[in-house]
Amino acid sequence: MQTRPVAPPAGGLGWANLGMDIVSVTRVRRLLTLYGEDFFRRMLTPGELADCRTSARLDVLGLCGRIAAKEAAFKTLRVRAVFLPWLDIVVRRSEGGWPLVELRGPAAAMAAESGIAAITVTISHDVDYAVAVAAPVLETGPPEGPVHPVHPEEPARPARPAQLAQPAAHDRASAAGAPTAHHTPRRHTMSEGLQLVKNWLLARHEELDDIAPDLDLIENRLIDSLSFVEFVFLLEQHSGRSIQMETLEVDEIRTLAAIETHFFAAQAVQA
């Protein structure tokens, strides 16, 4: 009798990459208090926000669950050096109450390249955390019945290049290990705006004494998927520029030197 391999080669036929993510309720509540609902409009579609809304306010646990589900779904794609396309991984509530995932634009393109027909996800909430686990449905075994959410009123977003998608930093460690706290920085005159950005990063990573201009912020996990959105808000505030996350490239924020070049060049010249 013919049998299937128990563990097929990674990325090969029959291989299923699971994704998992955990989100702190305290962290999301802080972001909601600091920035309001506008902050989450960059991460959730109007329909997703509607699913999280009660008669009085936005449900923080609902926000956490969808954020975790998007990150978990993104991790199943196993892609590097791209941003999580927040608005192109859509997590809606089905008529039965369970979450359903719809992939659009670059997220759908990345899934197709990986041989993934759809992604299924489950969400669990507790007082302090929301957890989500996602699994891909491979093209060789499509699910029975519809895989799209039952909310056709939300128009699909136009496709964009896959490289413009948030780092799956939660799911991989840097090849070089943890951030290098004693990395010796070069002599560098830093603009005021970049200094504020650096201070923001140092405040969130107390294990670091300094951040060298050429330290890879992504590979060393100084910016993760959730803090990335807050980081964009910070860049907008201190650079005076409007930033579209959909067109922001990884290399523009990979190092402090790159951030200065792309967002604070004029300030650096004046300094």
Side-chain angles (χ1 to χ4, degrees):
M1 183 177 64
Q2 189 176 10
T3 60
R4 288 185 64 179
V6 175
L13 182 63
W15 185 260
N17 296 315
L18 296 180
M20 181 178 180
D21 194 60
I22 183 170
V23 173
S24 164
V25 174
T26 300
R27 187 178 182 187
V28 171
R29 184 175 286 116
R30 179 185 67 82
L31 293 171
L32 185 60
T33 300
L34 282 176
Y35 303 109
E37 188 173 322
D38 283 347
F39 180 88
F40 296 95
R41 289 197 179 103
R42 295 198 174 191
M43 306 168 70
L44 279 73
T45 66
E48 289 174 310
L49 285 170
D51 286 346
C52 298
R53 200 178 303 281
T54 67
S55 58
R57 50 174 167 52
L58 281 176
D59 174 36
V60 175
L61 280 177
L63 291 174
C64 292
R66 275 156 184 78
I67 291 168
K70 285 170 180 265
E71 177 74 17
F74 183 59
K75 288 175 179 178
T76 69
L77 303 178
R78 292 296 194 269
V79 292
R80 289 177 58 85
V82 294
F83 294 133
L84 194 163
W86 284 104
L87 300 180
D88 291 310
I89 298 177
V90 182
V91 181
R92 299 299 308 274
R93 183 170 56 237
S94 71
E95 291 178 346
W98 53 83
L100 294 173
V101 178
E102 179 184 1
L103 302 177
R104 303 172 176 177
M110 285 185 281
E113 291 175 2
S114 301
I116 294 174
I119 295 175
T120 180
V121 67
T122 182
I123 302 171
S124 182
H125 306 92
D126 195 0
V127 176
D128 298 317
Y129 296 96
V131 178
V133 176
V137 178
L138 304 182
E139 290 180 346
T140 53
E144 296 182 4
V147 296
H148 296 294
V150 289
H151 298 278
E153 74 279 2
E154 282 196 46
R157 291 161 54 82
R160 296 187 300 272
Q163 68 268 26
L164 302 181
Q166 180 154 135
H170 284 302
D171 198 43
R172 65 177 191 276
S174 165
T180 307
H182 301 290
H183 190 111
T184 303
R186 305 171 187 169
R187 293 182 61 83
H188 182 72
T189 302
M190 189 172 292
S191 66
E192 180 181 358
L194 186 64
Q195 184 64 58
L196 293 170
V197 170
K198 179 179 176 180
N199 292 345
W200 184 86
L201 289 168
L202 287 171
R204 283 153 179 75
H205 297 277
E206 296 180 354
E207 73 278 9
L208 297 181
D209 298 324
D210 195 11
I211 302 174
D214 59 351
L215 180 69
D216 192 318
L217 305 177
I218 307 302
E219 290 297 329
N220 285 287
R221 304 174 69 181
L222 298 192
I223 303 175
D224 61 24
S225 296
L226 186 54
S227 68
F228 166 75
V229 183
E230 188 174 8
F231 187 72
V232 169
F233 269 57
L234 183 77
L235 283 179
E236 287 186 328
Q237 178 182 352
H238 296 312
S239 68
R241 291 177 47 186
S242 177
I243 301 172
Q244 298 298 319
M245 293 197 302
E246 296 85 356
T247 58
L248 184 63
E249 297 190 29
V250 175
D251 287 342
E252 293 178 358
I253 65 166
R254 186 174 292 281
T255 65
L256 290 178
I259 292 170
E260 183 165 68
T261 298
H262 289 95
F263 298 97
F264 300 107
Q267 293 183 15
V269 170
Q270 292 174 4

